[in-house]
Amino acid sequence: MISDVHGNARDLAKAGDGADALICLGDLVLFLDYADHSRGIFPDLFGIENADRIVALRTARRFDEARELGRELWAGLGLDPGAAIEQGVRRQYAELFAAFPAPTYATYGNVDIPDLWREYALPGTTVLDGERVELGGRVFGFVGGGLRTPMSTPYEISDEDYAAKVEALGEVDVLCSHIPPDVPELTYDTVARRFERGSTALLDAIRRTRPRYALFGHVHQPLARRMRVGATECVNVGHFAATGRPWAMEW
């Protein structure tokens, strides 16, 4: 079980060793590495110095200034932003999807581009979003993407649309999502020093249907990596880009 791969193809190729299946909870793309500003699509296009600038603005929550800087950089580059970003994403997806073992079950993160997954997913990779699958006698439900934020990442949707996907799952044994349920200890990032958006729909479903596990990623350095909500064990399966280590589920 992994999440937040963010370009780590080397460790991804080994993530399924010894497992019956690999589950990936999204964020394959690396647009900008906040720990190493030389890595990602953004510094490839604009250089490390500009990556330093935009990280500083976003960390200070000066999002309007960060967007204005982005507009200035794109104007100076003279390229179509959508085409340039897609080219970088395609390079990463070609490498990352080739590294997935078979079988892999995956859902989208908020920085992913769902339309491109259909092109790069190999036969051994099953993509699920608002859908269920039975693995080893247990039902897993998957909810991809994130909720809308000032960051405006590629796959953010409305609270209503997200809740509809959660509702479509019904009762499951393992609830898999990219973002966490809306619990402060699970949504607060201790390094970024801010709350990420969690889902009240996920939290309501956990309380109502009582799955054995609720598994997610998204928050790279959470205040709490795991805690119980009623009968459900909630687990942040980890920032795979940084650790290179999967979280193992056994039964």
Side-chain angles (χ1 to χ4, degrees), residues 42-53:
F42 187 95
D44 288 348
L45 291 169
F46 302 114
I48 299 173
E49 183 178 337
N50 285 318
D52 292 340
R53 293 171 65 195

Side-chain angles (χ1 to χ4, degrees), residues 94-109:
E95 182 179 18
L96 292 162
F97 276 97
F100 273 139
T104 290
Y105 299 87
T107 196
Y108 316 112

Side-chain angles (χ1 to χ4, degrees), residues 3-7 25-32 34 41 58 85-86 88-90 92-93 96 107-117 144-147 149 151-157 178-179 194 196 218 220:
S3 185
D4 299 271
V5 176
H6 294 302
L25 303 182
D27 271 11
L28 301 186
V29 172
L30 178 61
F31 188 70
L32 176 57
Y34 279 54
I41 295 170
R58 288 179 175 177
I85 292 172
E86 181 176 318
V89 171
R90 285 183 176 276
Q92 292 185 17
Y93 277 172
L96 292 162
T107 196
Y108 316 112
N110 60 294
V111 302
D112 288 312
I113 302 177
D115 286 346
L116 295 184
W117 279 40
L147 298 172
T149 71
M151 302 289 282
S152 298
T153 50
Y155 191 39
E156 294 180 357
I157 62 176
H178 177 66
I179 63 174
R194 65 170 182 261
E196 302 290 351
H218 187 58
H220 293 175

Side-chain angles (χ1 to χ4, degrees), residues 97-153:
F97 276 97
F100 273 139
T104 290
Y105 299 87
T107 196
Y108 316 112
N110 60 294
V111 302
D112 288 312
I113 302 177
D115 286 346
L116 295 184
W117 279 40
R118 301 183 184 98
E119 295 185 37
Y120 289 95
L122 300 175
T125 298
T126 302
V127 180
L128 302 124
D129 187 15
E131 299 164 286
R132 301 152 49 108
V133 66
E134 184 174 326
L135 302 174
R138 299 197 181 191
V139 178
F140 288 66
F142 291 79
V143 185
L147 298 172
R148 289 175 181 157
T149 71
M151 302 289 282
S152 298
T153 50

